[in-house]
Amino acid sequence: MYAQLVKTDGHGVKSLDEMDPQERAFQERIDDNQKIEPKDWMPEGYRKTLIRQISQHAHSEIVGQLPEGNWITRAPTLERKAILLAKVQDEAGHGLYLYCAAETLGVSRDELLAQLHAGKAKYSSIFNYPTLTWADIGAIGWLVDGAAIMNQVPLQRCSFGPYSRAMIRICKEESFHQRQGYDIMMKLSAGTEAQKAMAQDALNRWWWPSLMMFGPSDADSVHSAQSMAWKIKQNTNDELRQKFVDQTVPQAEFIGLTVPDPDLMWNEEKGGHDFGEIDWAEFYEVLKGNGPCNAERMAARVKAWEDGAWVRDGLNAYAEKAAARKTVTQTAAE
Amino acid sequence: MSKEWPLWEVFIRGQHGLAHRHVGSLHAPDAEMAVHHARDVYTRRNEGVSIWVVQAKDITASAPGDKGPLFEPSNSKVYRHPTFYDIPEDVGHM
Ligand SMILES: [Fe+2]
Ligand SMILES: [Fe+2]
Ligand SMILES: [Fe+2]
C-alpha cells in the first residue's frame, strides 16, 4: 500500500510462552486491543518496524503530491483547479501528521527526509507513473486514493496510538479525494468520444499499478505475520486487493468504462471477482527505482528541499534574534 | 544539515465552546509561525475557533510506570461517585 513492502524486525512470531515477562505483558495489551503510547515500553522490533512503516507512508503522501501537482496549472476550469489544490494540500497535511507520528518513536523528521533523499527509504510504487492527461487526475483520485482508503480504514484501529490517531484524521479527509476523482471520470465518460477515450486510456494505464499498491501477494509477503500479531497491519494484501477489485469494477461499469483485464470475471461461488495475474516483475522493478518516473520524483523532492534551505535557516535566525532581543529588553526593564 | 525547527504541540478549541484539545504536533521556528502552521495543518475544514501551541520540550508528562501509584488511590474511593448512594425511588430525581 502506501507502505507496500515494510521489512518487519523480529524473528518470526513468538508465542506468549516464549516471551520474557515484559514482552508478554506488551503482547497481552495488544491482544486486549489496548493502545501503545510513545513512552510505553515496546520491543525494539516493534519500534523499528513502525518507524519504517509510518515513514514510508509519510513519504508516499509527500511524493504523491508531485504527479497531481503536475496538473494544477492546467486544470480545465477554475473550480477544478481549486479542488485539486485543496486535495494536494491535504496530502501535504497527511505527510506531516505521519512524520509527527513517526517522531514520537524517537527519530527526527529531518533524519527521515534525509533517508528519502538518499534513496534509502521507500515510498509507494504508484507515484512513479506519469500523469499524461487530465483524465489521469480523475483516475488517481478514484483508484489511487480509493486503494489508499481501503488500506487506511483498518489502520485506524492499529495498536500504536499516534499512528491510529493520524489515520483517523486522514480517513476523514480522504473521502472527498476519491469522490472528486470519480466525479472527473464521470464527466469525461459522459463527454465527447475523445473525452471518453481519454478516460478509458487513463483507466488502462492506472488499473494495474493501483492493484500493485496493495503489495506482494500473501504467498510472497514474508513480513505480514509479525505485523499482524502486533496489530500494525490488520488485513492481508490479497484480502484488501480483492475488496478493492470488487468495489471498483461496478463503478467502472456504471460510467461505461472497461477494466483492462481479459481474465476479470464474477465468481459466484466465492462472491467476488476473479482477476488476472499482476506483473510482479514490473512491481519489483519500480520499487527498485526503475519505474518511469523514479528519478524525476526524487530529483523534484531533493530540489525542493535544497531550494527551501535558505527559508528554513532564515526563519531560524529570525527566531533566535527575536528571542535574544526579548531577553535584553527584559533584563533592561528589571 | 541545518538546524531543525523545534517541535510544537497543537491544541485546538472546536466550534462548540469545548476545552482546547490536543490535535497533534508540527515543526516551526517560533510561536507565531507555529500558530500559522497549525492553522494550515489542523484547521483546513473549520475545525477550530482558537489555537494554542506549546513547545513539546516544555511539557512535563507523568511517566507510564507511575500509573499505579498516581491513579490507584482514587480507585478505593467509590463514595466519590453518585452511584455509591442508595436513594429510594420515591424521593424522585436527585
Ligand atoms: Fe493522503
Ligand atoms: Fe494519497
Ligand atoms: Fe488522498
Side-chain angles (χ1 to χ4, degrees), chain A residues 2 61 68 87 90-91 94 145 148 173-174 177-178:
Chain A
Y2 273 21
E61 301 283 355
E68 289 178 296
K87 192 222 184 240
D90 272 356
E91 305 300 4
H94 298 174
D145 287 88
E173 300 180 351
E174 282 293 352
H177 297 182
Q178 190 183 18

Side-chain angles (χ1 to χ4, degrees), chain A residues 7-189:
Chain A
K7 192 175 152 295
T8 303
D9 263 80
H11 316 276
V13 183
K14 285 189 218 162
S15 71
L16 285 177
D17 293 330
E18 294 167 304
M19 295 175 183
D20 64 46
Q22 210 170 21
E23 188 173 357
R24 188 188 166 123
F26 171 85
Q27 187 62 49
E28 280 168 346
R29 283 181 61 195
I30 290 188
D31 294 343
D32 187 37
N33 286 326
Q34 291 180 31
K35 296 283 183 234
I36 307 300
E37 295 297 337
K39 289 194 170 145
D40 296 340
W41 181 89
M42 61 185 80
E44 253 328 277
Y46 178 84
R47 178 191 305 277
K48 284 193 180 145
T49 306
L50 264 178
I51 290 177
R52 233 175 259 139
Q53 178 172 339
I54 300 173
S55 62
Q56 275 189 32
H57 195 158
H59 296 329
S60 299
E61 301 283 355
I62 297 299
V63 177
Q65 296 178 100
L66 296 170
E68 289 178 296
N70 183 33
W71 279 89
I72 290 176
T73 55
R74 292 177 287 158
T77 68
L78 197 54
E79 186 185 59
R80 291 286 186 198
K81 183 180 182 145
I83 291 171
L84 183 56
L85 208 51
K87 192 222 184 240
V88 172
Q89 191 191 8
D90 272 356
E91 305 300 4
H94 298 174
L96 294 179
Y97 307 153
L98 289 162
Y99 284 126
C100 287
E103 280 183 309
T104 64
L105 291 160
V107 62
S108 78
R109 186 169 79 191
D110 279 8
E111 281 171 70
L112 296 174
L113 289 174
Q115 287 170 10
L116 175 70
H117 298 156
K120 285 189 215 140
K122 292 194 186 71
Y123 57 88
S124 178
S125 58
I126 193 76
F127 301 120
N128 292 310
Y129 292 86
T131 41
L132 304 178
T133 70
W134 172 249
D136 289 15
I137 300 308
I140 288 181
W142 174 33
L143 303 172
V144 176
D145 287 88
I149 291 169
M150 197 119 275
N151 181 256
Q152 288 168 346
V153 166
L155 277 177
Q156 294 179 100
R157 287 180 283 113
C158 108
S159 64
F160 186 56
Y163 192 27
S164 150
R165 291 189 286 273
M167 288 324 306
I168 291 171
R169 272 196 84 82
I170 289 177
C171 284
K172 260 193 214 149
E173 300 180 351
E174 282 293 352
S175 61
F176 122 71
H177 297 182
Q178 190 183 18
R179 292 172 72 115
Q180 65 85 35
Y182 191 65
D183 187 65
I184 292 174
M185 295 304 263
M186 265 190 328
K187 262 272 156 43
L188 289 172
S189 305

Side-chain angles (χ1 to χ4, degrees), chain A residues 192-247:
Chain A
T192 64
E193 274 311 306
Q195 286 170 326
K196 193 169 175 187
M198 191 195 272
Q200 181 62 52
D201 171 63
L203 173 58
N204 292 349
R205 284 179 292 107
W206 289 94
W207 176 254
W208 292 105
S210 297
L211 295 194
M212 292 176 199
M213 284 178 70
F214 296 93
S217 104
D218 294 347
D220 302 315
S221 71
V222 271
H223 310 298
S224 279
Q226 179 63 74
S227 290
M228 290 183 79
W230 279 334
K231 295 196 184 160
I232 54 180
K233 185 179 171 124
Q234 309 268 356
N235 306 84
T236 72
N237 298 348
D238 286 335
E239 268 168 33
L240 291 173
R241 189 166 15 242
Q242 180 69 50
K243 244 181 122 177
F244 176 75
V245 170
D246 293 335
Q247 171 190 286

